[in-house]
Amino acid sequence: MEIQHFSHHHPLVFIQDHSAAALCLGCEKPEEGWSYGCNQCEFIVVKDVLS
């Protein structure tokens, strides 16, 4: 699943599980559970930030 969000210029793809620790760039907290991320850079946001 892919979305376009105003917070980032690349499309964001659904990430169910991260293979390494990730930090949400929206709330600056460690990612817990699923999130959305960019395949072109290291931009990750958790679902709560996208609401």
Side-chain angles (χ1 to χ4, degrees), residues 22-43:
L23 183 68
C24 174
L25 297 177
C27 66
E28 299 181 350
K29 294 181 181 177
E31 178 276 327
E32 293 180 3
W34 59 270
S35 61
Y36 281 86
C38 179
N39 285 333
Q40 298 178 32
C41 58
E42 294 186 20
F43 184 85

Side-chain angles (χ1 to χ4, degrees), residues 1 12-20 22 31-37 39 44-47:
M1 183 182 342
L12 301 175
V13 295
F14 179 74
I15 303 169
Q16 186 168 356
D17 294 311
H18 291 272
S19 57
E31 178 276 327
E32 293 180 3
W34 59 270
S35 61
Y36 281 86
N39 285 333
I44 295 173
V45 290
V46 294
K47 63 181 181 212

